C-alpha cells in the first residue's frame, strides 16, 4: 500500500524496536522520515539507510525529547529540509521500574520527563506548521499499562495514562484545524525494553493473551500506518489497543 506518498513523518525514538518498525512501515507506504534518538544515533543511521534503500528520504538527529530546546532544533531541521510535518509519532519511551515504596524521585521524573513531557514538547513544536497547513496526524504510543496500571510501574503507568488524556485534549483542541490525535496502546511486544523479562514471566503473559502469542513491532507499525493515513481521516481522540486481546 502507498497511502502516505509525499508525506513527511517525524518519529521519536526511531533507532530500534517499535520506533524502527514504524519508521520502515511509514517509509514503505511512501513517507519521508525523520527519526531521533537520545543516544543510539548510529542505530538510527542504520534505520535511515534502510529507508533510503526504499527510495525515500531520511533524516537522523540526536534529540532528547525531554528537553524543549533539543526538540525545537529537531523540528527546525525537519521543516528546513521538507517544509512541512504531516505526521508526528511520539514513540520515544523509557522505563525505570520500582515498587512505590522504593521508587526514587529521579526515577519518577525521568520516566514522566521522556514519556509524557517529551510528547508535550514534540506536539507543541509541530502544531504551528500543522495548523498552517490545516492538516496533521499526531499519534502517541501509550501502553495497555496506561489502561490497567501495573505493580512496579507507577511512573510508567502514570506517563502512559497521561498520554491518553493528552491525546484526547489535543484531539479536541485541534479538530477544527483538521488535525487528528490518537493513541496506540500496545500490549507485550518483544524489544530491548522488554528483554529483561525472563521466560517464566513471558509464558505467564502469553497465558493472558487470547490470540496466544506476543505481538511484534510490525503489528504496532501497521496500526500506526492506518492512523496516519486517509483511511483514518474521521478518527480522532481514540485509543487503538494492539495487544492480541489481552485487555478488553
Ligand atoms: P526501546 O526498544 O527501548 O526503544 C525506545 C526508543 O526511544 C529508542 O529509539 C530510544 O533511543 C528512544 N529514546 C529513549 N529515550 C529518549 C529520549 N529522551 N529522547 C529521544 N528518544 C529517546 O522501546 P520499545 O519497546 O520499542 O518502545 C517504544 C514505545 O512503545 C515506548 O514508548 C514504549 O513505552 C511503548 N510500548 C512498548 C511496549 C513493549 O512491550 N515493548 C508495550 C507498550 C508500549 P535512545 O535510547 O538512543 O534515546
Amino acid at each position: 500500500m502507498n497511502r502516505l506518498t509525499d508525506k513527511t513523518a517525524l518519529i521519536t525514538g526511531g533507532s530500534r524496536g517499535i520506533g524502527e518498525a514504524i519508521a520502515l512501515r511509514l517509509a514503505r507506504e511512501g513517507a519521508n522520515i525523520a527519526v531521533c534518538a537520545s543516544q543510539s544515533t548510529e542505530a538510527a543511521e542504520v534505520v535511515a539507510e534502510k529507508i533510503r534503500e526504499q527510495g525515500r528520504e531520511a533524516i537522523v538527529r540526536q534529540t532528547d525529547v525531554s528537553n524543549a530546546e533539543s526538540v525545537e532544533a529537531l523540528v527546525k531541521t525537519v521543516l528546513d529540509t521538507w517544509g512541512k510535518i504531516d505526521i508526528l509519532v511520539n514513540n520515544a519511551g523509557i522505563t525505570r521500574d520500582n515498587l512505590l515504596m522504593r521508587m526514587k524521585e529521579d526515577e519518577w521524573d525521568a520516566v514522566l520527563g521522556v514519556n509524557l513531557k517529551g510528547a508535550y514538547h514534540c506536539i507543541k513544536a509541530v502544531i504551528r506548521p500543522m495548523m498552517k497547513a490545516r492538516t496533521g496526524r499526531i499519534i502517541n504510543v501509550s501502553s495497555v499499562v496506561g489502561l490497567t496500571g501495573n505493580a512496579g510501574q507507577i511512573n510508567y503507568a502514570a506517563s502512559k495514562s497521561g498520554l491518553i488524556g493528552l491525546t484526547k485534549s489535543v484531539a479536541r483542541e485541534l479538530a477544527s484545524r483538521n488535525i487528528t490525535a490518537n493513541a496506540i496502546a500496545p500490549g507485550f511486544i518483544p524489544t530491548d525494553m522488554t528483554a529483561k523479562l525472563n521466560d517464566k514471566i513471558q509464558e505467564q503473559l502469553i497465558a493472558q493473551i487470547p490470540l496466544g502469542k506476543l505481538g511484534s513491532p510490525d503489528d504496532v507499525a501497521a496500526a500506526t500506518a492506518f492512523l496516519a493515513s486517509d483511511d483514518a481521516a474521521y478518527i480522532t481522540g481514540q485509543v487503538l489497543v494492539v495487544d492480541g486481546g489481552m485487555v478488553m
Side-chain angles (χ1 to χ4, degrees):
M1 272 187 282
N2 258 349
R3 293 178 296 186
L4 304 176
T5 305
D6 295 332
K7 300 285 186 195
T8 295
L10 168 55
I11 297 148
T12 66
S15 64
R16 57 175 186 266
I18 293 171
E20 174 180 7
I22 292 171
L24 297 177
R25 174 64 190 249
L26 299 198
R28 188 145 56 84
E29 297 236 14
N32 295 323
I33 308 287
V35 291
C36 75
S38 66
Q39 292 167 47
S40 52
T41 40
E42 272 182 32
E45 277 296 350
V46 174
V47 175
E49 213 35 59
K50 289 183 194 167
I51 291 166
R52 292 180 195 118
E53 280 163 15
Q54 295 185 40
R56 314 289 175 220
E57 294 173 31
I59 298 173
V60 172
R61 191 168 172 131
Q62 184 172 17
T63 306
D64 175 1
V65 294
S66 68
N67 180 298
E69 283 173 19
S70 186
V71 169
E72 279 158 21
L74 166 69
V75 169
K76 185 174 183 309
T77 304
V78 180
L79 292 173
D80 287 349
T81 308
W82 293 313
K84 61 175 188 158
I85 297 178
D86 301 295
I87 301 157
L88 166 67
V89 183
N90 282 310
N91 163 80
I94 59 169
T95 53
R96 296 284 183 274
D97 297 351
N98 223 335
L99 292 172
L100 173 56
M101 290 280 285
R102 294 192 206 127
M103 173 88 41
K104 296 184 196 77
E105 196 174 339
D106 63 343
E107 293 169 333
W108 173 270
D109 287 345
V111 170
L112 271 289
V114 174
N115 299 8
L116 186 55
K117 199 174 179 188
Y120 152 74
H121 286 320
C122 293
I123 293 169
K124 205 158 173 213
V126 303
I127 54 167
R128 215 176 283 275
M130 281 186 178
M131 284 165 77
K132 225 168 134 197
R134 290 205 156 259
T135 181
R137 292 273 192 277
I138 296 167
I139 299 159
N140 297 320
V141 182
S142 176
S143 166
V144 288
V145 165
L147 298 169
T148 62
N150 197 20
Q153 288 198 309
I154 56 155
N155 49 359
Y156 185 76
S159 73
K160 295 299 182 180
S161 297
L163 272 179
I164 292 172
L166 174 72
T167 301
K168 293 184 180 192
S169 305
V170 169
R172 286 184 187 278
E173 271 195 38
L174 300 181
S176 64
R177 309 300 177 102
N178 193 33
I179 297 167
T180 67
N182 291 288
I184 294 184
F188 187 82
I189 314 290
T191 64
D192 288 354
M193 184 176 272
T194 51
K196 36 194 167 214
L197 299 183
N198 63 37
D199 288 352
K200 198 169 163 228
I201 294 179
Q202 295 205 20
E203 276 167 29
Q204 286 167 353
L205 281 165
I206 292 171
Q208 296 168 36
I209 301 173
L211 285 178
K213 58 179 182 182
L214 303 176
S216 73
D218 287 341
D219 293 323
V220 182
T224 309
F226 164 66
L227 288 174
S229 76
D230 282 348
D231 291 338
Y234 198 56
I235 299 175
T236 196
Q238 302 304 307
V239 183
L240 180 50
V241 181
V242 181
D243 71 343
M246 189 165 68
V247 172
M248 62 166 106

